[in-house]
Amino acid sequence: MSKEIILQLKGIHKKFSHEDVLKGVNLTLFEGDRVVLQGASGSGKSTLLHLMAGLDEPSTGEIYFLGKNLTHASDDYWAKLRNEKIGLIFQFHFLLSTMSGWNNILLPSRIGGRKSVKEVKTFLSPFIEELEMGHLLDKKPHELSGGQQQRVSLLRAISLSPKLLLCDEPTGGLDSLQSQKVTKLLLGLAEKLGITLVVVTHDEQVASHFSKRILIKDGIV
């Protein structure tokens, strides 16, 4: 049985101030792929991830998500996709400081209205237990450690069962023990939920957990 193609990049170029950051990238991600994207600083890996998420647009080339050409899709359309089908995790957690962990997690469902709060809480319950976060979600971000904040952002990212989960240096602010825990959790959750997972990292320890690696060098995959 063939796997569904989740994302395709065809001939992607990205130029900033006359500098070619990405040079003709071609990439296909299938349902259930768990991929680590590596490269030296400035190689274009974060730029590539941002293009996958619709946070930036290519200078030339085409982007397809679930078979639809989104190269010239509007910002509003991409925002809807990020709410419903594309989860994002960054090194910096982007949690709202005035809200509890729970309210940060529930933001996507409240914005999109696709699932009720009860449905999201029921869906996340086993993962919250696995992450040992049940007693901490009423706290605000400043009351949580870096690792705990990252777990809140992870729960937020999977709260609506995305098809694609994109992570940009998700363990960059963590010590080695926490990095290993978060990496294993990401891989475990992706497998359980059938999510296509892409992780950008410079950490070889993190990368060693992935069977599929993509190396980007001087803007070329």
Side-chain angles (χ1 to χ4, degrees), residues 61-89:
E62 296 180 324
I63 300 174
Y64 292 82
F65 182 73
L66 298 177
K68 183 172 182 177
N69 190 335
L70 299 183
T71 311
H72 302 297
S74 67
D75 290 343
D76 286 346
Y77 190 87
W78 273 109
K80 189 173 187 293
L81 275 183
R82 288 192 295 271
N83 178 262
E84 296 181 354
K85 294 180 179 176
I86 301 175
L88 295 169
I89 300 175

Side-chain angles (χ1 to χ4, degrees), residues 195-213:
I195 294 171
T196 300
L197 174 66
V198 180
V199 174
V200 167
T201 187
H202 66 277
D203 188 329
E204 186 55 38
Q205 243 190 344
V206 171
S208 68
H209 291 278
F210 290 77
S211 58
K212 187 172 183 177
R213 300 192 190 195

Side-chain angles (χ1 to χ4, degrees), residues 18-152:
H18 308 296
E19 179 187 356
D20 285 319
V21 177
L22 297 176
K23 305 169 184 175
V25 171
N26 294 292
L27 181 63
T28 300
L29 298 177
F30 292 90
E31 181 182 6
D33 276 354
R34 289 179 280 280
V35 177
V36 65
L37 182 59
Q38 293 180 281
S41 178
S43 61
K45 55 188 186 296
S46 289
T47 299
L48 183 57
L49 198 82
H50 290 178
L51 289 171
M52 292 179 186
L55 295 170
D56 200 353
E57 58 183 51
S59 301
T60 58
E62 296 180 324
I63 300 174
Y64 292 82
F65 182 73
L66 298 177
K68 183 172 182 177
N69 190 335
L70 299 183
T71 311
H72 302 297
S74 67
D75 290 343
D76 286 346
Y77 190 87
W78 273 109
K80 189 173 187 293
L81 275 183
R82 288 192 295 271
N83 178 262
E84 296 181 354
K85 294 180 179 176
I86 301 175
L88 295 169
I89 300 175
F90 298 97
Q91 178 179 344
F92 303 103
H93 318 302
F94 297 109
L95 301 176
L96 296 179
S97 61
T98 58
M99 289 186 170
S100 67
W102 255 127
N103 284 327
N104 271 284
I105 289 166
L106 293 170
L107 265 179
S109 62
R110 285 174 169 155
I111 291 170
R114 191 163 59 89
K115 285 187 179 181
S116 69
V117 168
K118 183 178 179 181
E119 286 176 310
V120 173
K121 286 190 172 185
T122 300
F123 167 70
L124 288 178
S125 179
F127 305 116
I128 289 168
E129 185 176 346
E130 184 176 346
L131 291 168
E132 300 177 348
M133 288 295 293
H135 63 299
L136 295 170
L137 294 181
D138 288 328
K139 295 182 180 292
K140 292 182 178 178
H142 72 273
E143 299 175 291
L144 302 173
S145 69
Q148 290 164 349
Q149 289 182 48
Q150 190 62 298
R151 292 177 184 205
V152 170

